[in-house]
Amino acid sequence: MIQRMAATPTFAENNIPEMGIASGATPAFSPLYQQIKSLILQSLHRGEWKPGEAIPSEMDLAVRFRVSQGTVRKAIDELAAENLVIRRQGKGTYVATHAESHVQYRFLKLLPDNGDVNSEGPAERTIIDCKRQRASAEVARALCLHAGDAVLQVRRVLSFSQVPTILEDLWLPGGPFKGLTAERLTDDRGPMYALFEAEFGVRMVRAEEKIRAILPDAAQSLLLKVEQTTPLLSVERIAFTYNGIPMELRRGIYRTDTHHYRNELN
Amino acid sequence: MIQRMAATPTFAENNIPEMGIASGATPAFSPLYQQIKSLILQSLHRGEWKPGEAIPSEMDLAVRFRVSQGTVRKAIDELAAENLVIRRQGKGTYVATHAESHVQYRFLKLLPDNGDVNSEGPAERTIIDCKRQRASAEVARALCLHAGDAVLQVRRVLSFSQVPTILEDLWLPGGPFKGLTAERLTDDRGPMYALFEAEFGVRMVRAEEKIRAILPDAAQSLLLKVEQTTPLLSVERIAFTYNGIPMELRRGIYRTDTHHYRNELN
DNA sequence: CAGTGGTCTAGACCACTGG
DNA sequence: CAGTGGTCTAGACCACTGC
C-alpha cells in the first residue's frame, strides 16, 4: 500500500495494492521513493528478477508504481549505492551478482603486498571438509537459529602461488543450503557466493567482520604450514541477504607475511 | 570556468569565471553538478567555510553558480555521501568536523568485545614522544615528500580502563604542522584530528589502512605491558585531506584480546 | 533508429528550525 | 513567520547501446 504525503495535484489519495506489505498497521510515514525502494527490494528478495538480469526500465517502474520517473530514479539510486543493482547507461539496470562482478571476491580484502592482484593469479581452493551438523549455541546466535538446528560446516584452504594463505571455516543454515556437498564446492570455479546465488538463490549483500590477531592451534598451523608461533589474522564474518537476515558465519585465518588486509575509511 | 553540455534554452553558452581552475587546457567534459561539486570542494580546501560552519544555502549557491537548485543539490548530495558535509533539515548544510562529530573517533575501528562503547569511558592518552626529524625513504614515500624533509614524529599510548591497548606512531609533514608540540597534544582533549583542524587547518577526510598480525618488539611489549609472544594487530594508516594529499602516516599496534577491529563490507 | 539511463531545469509543496 | 533542506512532478534534452 503506497501512501502519499498528502494530496498532490495529479494523484490525490492514490494508492496501489502492490503485493501486500503484510497489510499490518500502516507503518510510520516514509517518503514515496523509500516505499518504492522497499517494493523493489521485495521483488529482488522474492526473486522476481534474478542476479544478472535486467530489472524493468525506470519508465516502466514509474508506470507500475504510478509515480514519476524521478521518484523511481531516486529509489534506484540508493539501491545502486548499496551495490544491490548496477546501472548501465543505454542498456538498463541489472541485479548485481557475485559472478562476473568484475570486482570478484568483493568481500575478500586480503591483497598481496606488491599491490598487483593479478601477479599471483586466481586462488587455488581445496575443500577439506563439508559436513552436516547441529548448531552450537555460538553458531546459532550468529545465524539467528536455535541451538541444535541443522547447519552445514565447510572447511577449506585458499592458496596463492602454491602457498596456503587462508584457512576458512563456514557455517551455513541447513534449510536454505539443503543439498550442498563437498563435490559441488570442489567442482565449482568462481566465487563461492556466485554458486550460492545460482544454486540456492541466496544472494549475499552485506557483511560485518571482526578482526583479531591470534596464534594458530596445532591443526591450523598444520593446514597453513606455518609455525605455531606465527601471528595470524583472525577474521570472523557474518554475511547477510537482502532483508538483513544472516546467512553465513565464516571464520577465516589469514597469513599476513606476504599479504595484508586492506581497508578504506570514509 | 563552467562548461555546459550544450545550448540550453535559458542559459545558452553561459560560463562563470568562478575562481580559475588553473585555467589550463579545458579538462575533459564533466556534468555540471560535478563541476559545481569540485568548485565547492575547492572552497572547502581553501577554507572559505571552516569546519563546523554552515555553507551557503542551496538557493544561494544556485544563484552564485548560475545553475538550478537541483543541480547544486546533486553536488551537495555527493559531498554529504562522502562525509565532507552534513545536511540539517531546516537549518542548513555544515562543513563536517572531527570535533563534536558525535561519531567521534570516526577512523578508529577498534571496539570493546562487549559492544558497549560507553562502558569503558573515553580513552586515556599518554604522549610518549614528539620530535622533529628527517623523513626516512619509507615515510617520505607514504607522505609524498622527499627523503630528508622535515617531519614530526609522535608516539603515544591509548588506554581503556587503565589498560594500555593501543600504541601509535605518527608521522606528519613538518610544513603544515609547524608548531605542534608534545604539550599541545597533551593538553588537548578530544580527537587528535579535531586539533589538527582547529590549530593547523588540516582536515582528514579519507584514509587507507593495511592490517597485519605481528609480534611486538621489546620496546612495544614494554609499553603495552604484554608478553612478546602476544599476537597484536598492526594497523598502518595513511590519511588524506580534501584533494587526496596524504597528510599523516600512522602505525598503530592494537591489543585484540579484549577488543576487536570491526569492519563493514558492502 | 528506438529505448535506456544521465543531466538539467522549473516550480510546487512538505517538514523542520529558529526567531 | 521566513528560511532551510527534503520530496515530487513534468518535461526537455543528452549520451550511450544495440538493432
Side-chain angles (χ1 to χ4, degrees), chain A residues 157-173:
Chain A
V157 172
L158 299 188
S159 301
F160 298 100
S161 323
Q162 276 78 50
V163 180
T165 307
I166 299 181
L167 168 62
E168 283 181 328
D169 284 295
L170 285 73
W171 289 266
L172 305 166

Side-chain angles (χ1 to χ4, degrees), chain A residues 5 17-18 25 33-34 37 54 72 92 95 109 136 166 177 195-196 199 233 244 248 261:
Chain A
M5 265 172 144
E18 251 297 331
Y33 76 90
Q34 287 286 1
K37 179 184 171 186
V72 171
V95 183
K109 315 273 278 182
S136 69
I166 299 181
F177 287 96
L195 180 113
F196 290 175
E199 300 285 320
L233 218 55
E248 182 200 55
Y261 184 105

Side-chain angles (χ1 to χ4, degrees), chain A residues 212-225:
Chain A
R212 290 187 168 78
I214 59 149
L215 295 178
D217 64 27
Q220 292 166 341
S221 74
L222 221 62
L223 285 165
L224 282 180
K225 295 179 184 159

Side-chain angles (χ1 to χ4, degrees), chain B residues 133-184:
Chain B
Q133 280 192 165
R134 300 196 166 280
S136 68
E138 205 177 8
V139 169
R141 190 163 2 96
L143 295 178
C144 290
L145 302 174
H146 296 96
D149 285 355
V151 293
L152 257 148
Q153 184 181 352
V154 180
R155 165 168 282 203
R156 68 166 181 172
V157 171
L158 300 189
S159 300
F160 299 101
S161 322
Q162 275 78 49
V163 180
T165 306
I166 298 180
L167 169 60
E168 283 181 328
D169 284 295
L170 285 73
W171 289 266
L172 304 165
F177 288 96
K178 194 187 298 282
L180 180 61
T181 63
E183 291 70 43
R184 213 69 162 267

Side-chain angles (χ1 to χ4, degrees), chain A residues 130-134 150-153 173-175 177-180:
Chain A
C130 175
K131 58 188 184 219
R132 216 160 191 75
Q133 281 192 164
R134 300 197 165 280
V151 292
L152 257 147
Q153 184 180 353
F177 287 96
K178 192 186 301 281
L180 181 60

